[in-house]
Amino acid sequence: MIAVIETGSVRSAARKLGLAQAAVSKNLTALEKSLGVPLLVRSARGVEPTEFGRIVLRRARIVDAELRHMQEEIESLSGDSHKLITVGLSATAEAMLLPVAVARFREHTPNSLISVLGGRSSSTIAALREARIDFAVGPLPTDQSVSDLHTEQLCSSDLGIVVRAGHPAADARDLASLVPYGWLYSVQQIGGPAIVSLMRKHGLPDPTLVAHCDSSSALISMLLQSDYVTLNSLAALEPLRAEGLLKVLPIELDLPPAVQYLMTPTMRPLTASAAALAAEFRRASRRLRR
């Protein structure tokens, strides 16, 4: 069922799985019969899940991931495996923790491959709940509960206003000087972008919002090639500031730091390799607190 929905057709799913098309169709029919509800429907875009199918798909992905993790752990114990760990990281976690954590991890487990998923907290947490990633590191979402996850505070980064080197407002010392410029944002609070509430607090007009950038590469590309401004975690942009490509404006902000949390599923154990990588993220965060 997962393969059919991901590929869009029974034929493509059969090819992906190395099975006969008739075998895939037979198993889908048996699954629908056992549950007593229709799971799939044909549309102009191919085969798609029904409302019932979406419920089953969400659970099926978790089951499928657990079976793969079980196989990985068995292979690891037998010494015949190439471990894949998939993590969801914020741009701040990528900059502050990822390089050190991966370097330490690879010293002890060189036969491993790490896949990094970026994006907004809500997307990362959805992937974590569906077992598409092993764990996540980033800020807690402001629009949903995470009571079903174990959360552990790792580190924090101050927020600042950043522009490209040579920006017309590179010498600005107050928010009023930045009103004419468009803003890129990733930092949000309950109710919307943090820069909006900050401007209002200072009695200034709402900023012109250009783009919400969960992708650090998109944010950096637009900053470097435009006169846009951003309110962002300083740690996430520190490497480019150190190279002289970006500049932090000397404007004091009354904002709490961006806190990064390690998030793991409460009811689903990490594989041994994922737990080892999570431990290195903890160790990397402790180095920052010294």
Side-chain angles (χ1 to χ4, degrees), residues 112-263:
S112 296
L113 178 65
I114 299 166
S115 176
V116 177
L117 172 71
R120 62 191 305 175
S121 295
S122 56
S123 301
T124 301
I125 289 173
L128 182 59
R129 286 176 172 143
E130 294 180 4
R132 288 184 281 123
I133 60 176
D134 292 290
F135 63 85
V137 180
L140 298 182
T142 58
D143 57 351
Q144 60 179 292
S145 169
V146 290
S147 58
D148 60 324
L149 303 175
H150 176 73
T151 60
E152 176 184 343
Q153 183 172 331
L154 293 184
C155 60
S156 62
S157 169
D158 289 334
L159 300 177
I161 295 176
V162 181
V163 297
R164 65 172 175 83
H167 190 283
D171 296 323
R173 294 183 174 277
D174 55 62
L175 288 171
S177 304
L178 303 176
V179 170
Y181 299 97
W183 288 77
L184 311 174
Y185 72 98
S186 58
V187 180
Q188 297 209 74
Q189 299 172 320
I190 296 175
I195 186 57
V196 174
S197 59
L198 188 62
M199 287 290 204
R200 291 175 180 173
K201 182 178 178 180
H202 286 78
L204 298 171
D206 284 0
T208 301
L209 301 178
V210 175
H212 178 199
C213 299
D214 288 312
S215 163
S216 58
S217 59
L219 176 72
I220 290 168
S221 294
M222 285 194 282
L223 271 183
L224 292 176
Q225 300 178 61
S226 71
D227 287 339
Y228 297 142
V229 184
T230 189
L231 169 65
N232 207 76
S233 160
L234 296 181
L237 301 177
E238 174 56 25
L240 291 173
R241 188 210 63 77
E243 290 291 330
L245 298 174
L246 296 176
K247 180 178 180 181
V248 179
L249 300 185
I251 299 175
E252 291 189 12
L253 305 176
D254 185 20
L255 289 174
V259 181
Q260 305 297 303
Y261 291 84
L262 172 66
M263 292 169 273

